[in-house]
């Protein structure tokens, strides 16, 4: 599986309609997908028809949307259909999603979709700071293990590293591999390290789902079901951080998931009372929009002390001469910087180096893209750079540096490949134009040649539905 920032949306779009019908039986799942997966216009469309007593017509929607926003409307409808939130050829909500979202918004029912609070007393040592420290330790063990495969750092003393099950998962997902007995990071692992924490968590959770599917297909009998697991992930995201929840209210399949969730740092279970569990901030932010994390250990800043913030913070000053200064303490962050820069000096709390042609080409050879590097530098830019950019109405990063990074990448990519579908040999130009324009509007048209009447699309499902509906409309018109 390819680990990418949008891997969750890609995973969901590949699921069949029967899986979505099972997922949407849980109000927490419907609410989580509504919150995280839908753009603003799609949310507006859902809320407009959620309580509508009469069917909502596409012609009515056109009256709501400005002509200049047609592209956004088409993209919103394409997402709603790909997630099986609305019917393929109408604006009618699917029954399970409609009922579950209403329950989530109104409350009531005995579905226990948002967890059952524990009635047992909470241990005195368990508070927000304790859970943040616990989750940070678990997650940093995983990241340090991946970074140790670069050869730029070693696992810190006193750290036992992640559990063997997590190591096996990282190996199965091809983030790391063992060559001649030596652990090596792959280009997928490099890309993983440059992602924000929320995307990293989802990447590993989806790898876990694939491993369970593979085990069940081989008759290994894991005692877990990937659809129920995904539903439980969305449930965890809806829980309250710092509150205790009962494990007795969970099904046997979900209780089997708890050891794996502990290994990831998503939940904490007291040793003296296994009847309750506490979701950590890694779990409760799974469907949060607050994913612009400024460090690999972020997601905990709201409850972290000043000392731990200093340990995790990484702020970068980038000059027009490609010289870089990073105020950083974490060996993990320093190793990430070394992935795409030539570090020259290291002091207490400061490292300096250069972005060079050689360092960027080395990063590209490991699968790191120029856009990932630029995004990382922008995310970690020092506040002084932001203030200077705002005062002078200029970009945060020097444009000359950004352009050169991309040019260095182009030096290594004379030819690029992309998976997709080629559409050609239309009966008439009018049909080609309508289909190509639709693909362009929903954002799946990667290339088109109007003169030859061909275009290349990255996805085909929505285009097939559009062509079917267009063919039916033409047949109805001819019959009349």
């Amino acid at each position: 599986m390819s680990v990418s920032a949008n891997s969750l949306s890609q995973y969901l779009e590949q699921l069949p309609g029967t899986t979505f019908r099972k997922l949407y039986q849980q109000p927490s799942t419907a609410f989580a997908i509504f919150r995280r997966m839908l753009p603003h216009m799609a949310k507006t469309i859902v809320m407009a028809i959620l309580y509508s007593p009469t069917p909502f017509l596409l012609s009515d929607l056109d009256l709501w949307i400005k002509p200049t926003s047609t592209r956004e409307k088409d993209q919103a409808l394409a997402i709603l259909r790909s997630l099986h939130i609305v019917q393929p050829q109408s604006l009618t909500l699917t029954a399970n999603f409609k009922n579950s979202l209403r329950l989530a918004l109104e409350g009531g029912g005995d579905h226990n979709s948002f967890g059952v609070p524990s009635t047992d007393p909470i241990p005195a040592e368990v508070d927000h700071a304790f859970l943040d420290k616990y989750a940070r330790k678990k997650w940093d063990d995983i990241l340090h293990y991946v970074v140790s495969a670069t050869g730029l750092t070693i696992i810190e003393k006193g750290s036992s590293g992640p559990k063997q099950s997590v190591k096996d998962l990282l190996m199965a997902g091809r983030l790391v591999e063992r060559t001649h007995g030596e652990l090596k990071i792959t280009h997928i692992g490099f890309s993983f390290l440059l992602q924000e924490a929320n995307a990293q968590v989802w990447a590993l959770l989806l790898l876990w789902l694939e491993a369970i599917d593979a085990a069940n297909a081989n008759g290994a009998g894991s005692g877990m079901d990937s659809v129920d697991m995904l539903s439980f992930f969305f449930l965890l995201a809806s829980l309250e951080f710092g509150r205790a929840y009962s494990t007795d209210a969970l099904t046997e399949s979900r209780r089997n998931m708890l050891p794996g969730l502990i290994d990831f740092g998503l939940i904490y279970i007291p040793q003296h009372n296994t009847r309750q569990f506490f979701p950590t901030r890694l779990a409760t932010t799974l469907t949060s929009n607050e994913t612009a994390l400024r460090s690999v250990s972020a997601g905990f800043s709201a409850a972290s002390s000043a000392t731990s913030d200093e340990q995790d913070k990484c702020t970068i000053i980038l000059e027009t001469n490609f010289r870089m200064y990073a105020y950083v303490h974490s060996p993990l962050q320093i190793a990430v910087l070394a992935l795409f820069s030539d570090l020259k000096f290291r002091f207490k709390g400061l490292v300096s180096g250069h972005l060079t042609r050689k360092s960027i080409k080395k990063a590209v050879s490991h699968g790191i893209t120029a856009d990932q590097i630029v995004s990382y530098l922008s995310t970690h830019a020092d506040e002084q750079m932001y203030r200077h950019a705002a005062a002078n109405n200029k970009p945060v990063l020097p444009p000359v540096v950004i352009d050169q990074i991309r040019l260095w990448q182009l030096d290594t990519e004379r030819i690029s490949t992309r998976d997709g579908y080629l559409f050609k040999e239309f009966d008439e130009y009018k049909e080609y134009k309508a289909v190509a324009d639709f693909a362009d509007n929903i954002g799946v048209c990667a290339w088109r040649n109007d003169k030859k009447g061909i275009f290349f699309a990255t996805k085909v499902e929505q285009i097939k539905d559009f062509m079917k509906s267009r063919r039916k409309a033409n047949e109805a018109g001819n019959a009349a």
Side-chain angles (χ1 to χ4, degrees):
M1 165 183 166
S2 176
V3 179
S4 60
N6 60 344
S7 57
L8 175 60
S9 61
Q10 292 175 349
Y11 181 85
L12 290 175
E13 288 176 2
Q14 295 171 0
L15 298 178
T18 53
T19 300
F20 277 101
R21 282 194 287 273
K22 293 179 183 178
L23 286 174
Y24 291 153
Q25 290 176 355
Q26 296 294 321
S28 57
T29 301
F31 186 62
I33 288 181
F34 174 81
R35 254 179 42 172
R36 176 183 171 88
M37 306 304 302
L38 302 185
H40 179 71
M41 183 172 289
K43 291 178 182 178
T44 303
I45 293 173
V46 169
M47 292 307 298
I49 60 181
L50 181 61
Y51 292 98
S52 176
T54 58
F56 205 83
L57 303 177
L58 285 171
S59 57
D60 295 333
L61 181 62
D62 291 336
L63 296 176
W64 283 28
I65 308 298
K66 295 180 180 179
T68 55
S69 300
T70 301
R71 183 185 183 92
E72 288 80 358
K73 181 202 71 174
D74 291 339
Q75 289 177 344
L77 291 177
I79 292 174
L80 291 174
R81 286 167 180 155
S82 67
L83 296 176
H84 296 266
I85 292 174
V86 299
Q87 301 290 349
Q89 301 300 331
S90 68
L91 273 182
T92 304
L93 292 176
T94 53
N96 286 357
F97 182 87
K98 180 179 181 178
N99 296 334
S100 291
L101 185 59
R102 281 186 171 185
L103 275 176
L105 296 177
E106 298 170 1
D110 57 355
H111 47 78
N112 294 332
S113 181
F114 293 94
V116 177
S118 173
T119 56
D120 295 342
I122 297 177
E125 72 275 9
V126 179
D127 55 14
H128 286 190
F130 173 87
L131 291 174
D132 281 337
K133 183 178 180 180
Y134 165 83
R136 182 186 297 111
K137 174 67 167 59
K138 288 283 188 179
W139 194 249
D140 276 358
D141 280 350
I142 296 174
L143 295 182
H144 276 289
Y145 178 76
V146 177
V147 170
S148 68
T150 65
L152 299 169
T153 183
I154 58 174
I155 297 178
E156 293 180 334
K157 292 182 179 180
S159 173
S160 58
K163 292 289 186 66
Q164 186 60 45
S165 60
V166 178
K167 294 179 181 178
D168 293 340
L169 196 62
L170 295 172
M171 196 83 69
R174 293 182 291 114
L175 276 74
V176 295
E177 60 185 17
R178 197 167 293 280
T179 307
H180 305 299
E182 186 177 358
L183 193 67
K184 293 288 186 181
I185 191 171
T186 67
H187 71 280
I188 298 176
F190 277 106
S191 299
F192 174 80
L193 288 176
L194 292 183
Q195 291 177 359
E196 56 200 14
N198 187 276
Q200 289 174 339
V201 174
W202 270 114
L204 289 191
L205 291 180
L206 296 182
L207 286 175
W208 190 17
L209 294 182
E210 291 195 346
I212 293 299
D213 280 338
N216 291 339
N218 295 330
S222 63
M224 293 177 278
D225 174 70
S226 61
V227 178
D228 185 56
M229 290 174 67
L230 183 59
S231 181
F232 191 48
F233 296 156
F234 287 126
L235 183 151
L236 288 175
S238 68
L239 301 183
E240 181 181 344
F241 174 60
R243 190 169 188 176
Y245 292 87
S246 173
T247 59
D248 294 336
L250 301 178
T251 62
E252 182 180 358
S253 173
R254 293 185 174 184
R255 283 196 292 269
N256 291 336
M257 293 174 59
L258 298 182
L261 294 171
I262 291 174
D263 293 343
F264 289 137
L266 269 67
I267 65 169
Y268 169 75
I269 297 181
Q271 292 183 353
H272 61 277
N273 185 4
T274 58
R275 297 180 58 195
Q276 62 179 193
F277 72 93
F278 296 82
T280 68
R281 209 179 297 270
L282 282 176
T284 58
T285 58
L286 277 175
T287 58
S288 171
N289 289 327
E290 299 176 2
T291 57
L293 308 178
R294 296 185 66 83
S295 77
V296 291
S297 300
F300 314 98
S301 56
S304 298
S305 65
T307 302
S308 61
D309 275 347
E310 280 299 312
Q311 285 296 113
D312 292 331
K313 185 187 292 185
C314 173
T315 59
I316 297 171
I317 293 178
L318 185 63
E319 297 180 339
T320 55
N321 59 3
F322 299 88
R323 183 168 294 175
M324 179 186 69
Y325 302 92
Y327 297 93
V328 57
H329 293 270
S330 168
L332 182 61
Q333 286 283 12
I334 295 173
V336 172
L337 291 172
L339 299 180
F340 57 83
S341 64
D342 182 16
L343 298 182
K344 297 292 186 182
F345 303 101
R346 179 174 178 180
F347 307 98
K348 184 177 181 180
L350 172 69
V351 294
S352 67
H354 284 83
L355 298 178
T356 66
R357 178 192 180 99
K358 183 179 180 180
S359 67
I360 297 298
K361 291 184 73 172
K362 180 181 177 182
V364 171
S365 68
H366 285 112
I368 303 175
T369 67
D371 287 339
Q372 285 177 316
I373 296 172
V374 171
S375 176
Y376 185 87
L377 292 171
S378 178
T379 301
H380 293 78
D382 190 84
E383 293 180 3
Q384 182 178 343
M385 293 186 66
Y386 278 99
R387 287 197 298 268
H388 179 76
N392 296 278
N393 195 25
K394 292 183 177 180
V396 175
L397 300 179
V400 63
V401 177
I402 297 175
D403 292 343
Q404 190 59 61
I405 291 174
R406 293 195 170 114
L407 287 173
W408 281 332
Q409 177 179 339
L410 289 175
D411 284 345
T412 66
E413 297 179 355
R414 300 300 183 186
I415 298 177
S416 62
T417 61
R418 193 171 188 178
D419 294 333
Y421 306 85
L422 182 65
F423 291 80
K424 61 180 182 177
E425 297 180 0
F426 289 88
D427 292 336
E428 56 182 353
Y429 182 79
K430 182 179 179 181
E431 181 185 2
Y432 156 77
K433 188 73 166 56
V435 177
D437 287 345
F438 174 78
D440 200 22
N441 286 337
I442 65 174
V444 300
C445 181
W447 172 85
R448 62 189 289 177
N449 188 321
D450 291 340
K451 184 177 292 186
K452 294 183 178 180
I454 58 176
F455 72 92
F456 183 81
T458 55
K459 296 180 181 178
V460 72
E461 290 78 11
Q462 291 83 21
I463 299 177
K464 288 170 62 178
D465 291 338
F466 175 78
M467 294 176 71
K468 287 179 181 179
S469 62
R470 181 178 171 83
R471 189 178 300 113
K472 289 180 180 179
N474 290 339
E475 290 175 354
N478 294 334

